[in-house]
């Protein structure tokens, strides 16, 4: 008898937080239907170390090891046979990143892949699910803002046209570790995309994006507009501590 519902887990080791999502996936639908079983977020902020000292400190490494061991127990408790764990911006910049990945594999059996920025952007594209909110007659930018990097995917006719990754993230900004050259690379790329593909719709994700959505009192699925976002930005800027 074919089983149409399967349980999967994904672990994201980011610059700001470590997250695990467990979902049931119904494969009977035209597009796989994901139902969240549990979501856990641990705000370790690896980027605070890495973006200033280029390595994960002993203290944060211990917190990461404890978190991964806890996640491994949960995978067993949920009887999950298929999972994927990826580390992004902070771990790929950390000099001791590969060493920590090896230690995690040895202590709790979790295999972690440190992925490049381009791989991260492609993984966002391959995850799919955006077709339901896109108009095939428009072009869209999907923007994922993380703690250490920002990934952008350009869609046209619901298909990937281009993608890029930039070392621009909230933790990098808070630690003043964003290079001027990276800002210029970002501006040049965005300008070229706009000139060749405007008008553009924007779909954004990330913890800070979700926070902005809530601060503006938006309902789930309700769009943001530029004027209200700019007002919020100016208000927060005045109260910056």
């Amino acid at each position: 008898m074919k089983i149409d519902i399967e349980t999967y887990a994904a672990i994201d080791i980011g610059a700001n937080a470590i997250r695990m999502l467990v979902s049931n996936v119904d494969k009977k639908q035209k597009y796989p239907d994901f139902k969240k079983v549990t979501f856990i977020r641990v705000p370790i902020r690896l980027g605070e170390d890495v973006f200033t000292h280029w390595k994960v400190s002993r203290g944060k490494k211990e917190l990461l090891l404890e978190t991964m061991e806890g996640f491994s127990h949960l995978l067993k408790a949920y009887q999950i046979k298929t999972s994927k764990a990826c580390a992004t911006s902070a771990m790929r910049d950390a000099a001791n990143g590969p060493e920590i990945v090896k230690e995690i594999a040895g202590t709790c059996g979790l295999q972690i892949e440190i992925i490049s920025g381009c791989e991260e952007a492609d993984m966002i594209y391959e995850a799919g699910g955006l077709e339901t909110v896109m108009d095939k007659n428009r072009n869209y930018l999907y923007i994922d803002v993380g703690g250490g990097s920002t990934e952008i995917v350009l869609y046209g006719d619901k298909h990937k046209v281009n993608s890029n990754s930039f070392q621009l993230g909230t933790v990098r900004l808070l630690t003043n570790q964003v290079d001027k050259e990276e800002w210029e690379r970002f501006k040049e790329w965005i300008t070229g995309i706009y000139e060749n593909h405007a008008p553009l719709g924007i779909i954004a994700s990330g913890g800070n994006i979700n926070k902005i959505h809530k601060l503006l009192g938006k309902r789930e699925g309700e769009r943001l507009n530029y004027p209200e976002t700019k007002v919020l930005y100016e208000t927060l800027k005045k109260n910056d501590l």
Side-chain angles (χ1 to χ4, degrees):
M1 180 178 177
K2 184 179 178 182
I3 300 175
D4 293 314
I5 297 179
E6 298 179 1
T7 304
Y8 296 87
I11 296 173
D12 172 23
I13 301 175
N16 192 35
I18 316 302
R19 302 174 295 176
M20 183 174 79
L21 174 66
V22 177
S23 293
N24 286 332
V25 183
D26 185 350
K27 296 186 175 181
K28 292 182 294 185
Q29 310 298 323
K30 180 180 179 181
Y31 298 110
D33 185 23
F34 293 82
K35 299 293 185 183
K36 182 175 71 175
V37 175
T38 189
F39 175 75
I40 300 171
R41 180 181 183 275
V42 184
I44 295 179
R45 285 204 171 187
L46 296 174
E48 287 182 336
D49 287 345
V50 176
F51 303 147
T52 53
H53 304 295
W54 304 108
K55 64 180 295 185
V56 177
S57 67
R58 181 189 295 270
K60 289 192 183 291
K61 185 185 81 167
E62 292 303 319
L63 289 174
L64 177 58
L65 289 171
E66 292 283 354
T67 300
M68 291 299 104
E69 186 171 353
F71 284 1
S72 71
H73 289 309
L74 286 172
L75 292 177
K76 293 173 185 176
Y78 280 106
Q79 299 181 324
I80 295 169
K81 297 181 180 178
T82 304
S83 63
K84 188 174 183 64
C86 292
T88 55
S89 183
M91 288 289 279
R92 64 176 169 250
D93 284 3
N96 57 343
E99 171 192 324
I100 294 173
V101 165
K102 186 176 180 180
E103 188 170 347
I104 291 171
T107 56
C108 57
L110 283 177
Q111 303 298 321
I112 297 168
E113 180 182 359
I114 300 177
I115 60 175
S116 69
C118 290
E119 286 174 316
E120 191 173 351
D122 287 342
M123 194 172 290
I124 291 168
Y125 165 70
E126 291 167 2
L130 298 176
E131 297 88 352
T132 57
V133 296
M134 287 184 179
D135 179 348
K136 70 176 183 179
N137 296 313
R138 293 191 67 186
N139 295 324
Y140 291 86
L141 284 181
Y142 178 81
I143 304 173
D144 183 62
V145 181
S149 65
T150 293
E151 278 64 50
I152 305 178
V153 182
L154 171 68
Y155 288 91
D157 191 20
K158 298 186 179 182
H159 297 287
K160 174 186 169 184
V161 177
N162 201 343
S163 67
N164 213 327
S165 176
F166 301 92
Q167 289 188 312
L168 305 172
T170 54
V171 180
R172 282 189 198 271
L173 287 168
L174 288 171
T175 54
N176 296 312
Q177 296 299 317
V178 177
D179 293 334
K180 181 180 178 181
E181 291 78 9
E182 190 68 355
W183 275 118
E184 292 304 318
R185 187 172 76 90
F186 169 73
K187 291 176 183 178
E188 183 179 346
W189 191 82
I190 285 291
T191 300
I193 291 296
Y194 180 80
E195 289 174 350
N196 292 296
H197 300 281
L200 291 163
I202 297 176
I203 302 171
S205 64
N208 286 284
I209 298 297
N210 292 334
K211 187 64 176 179
I212 289 170
H213 198 261
K214 290 179 181 178
L215 286 172
L216 289 171
K218 296 295 183 177
R219 298 184 300 272
E220 184 175 351
E222 188 177 359
R223 296 181 180 181
L224 301 178
N225 60 56
Y226 176 74
E228 62 188 358
T229 305
K230 183 172 176 56
V231 168
L232 177 62
Y233 168 75
E234 295 296 340
T235 302
L236 293 174
K237 190 176 180 181
K238 290 177 184 177
N239 291 280
D240 186 16
L241 300 177

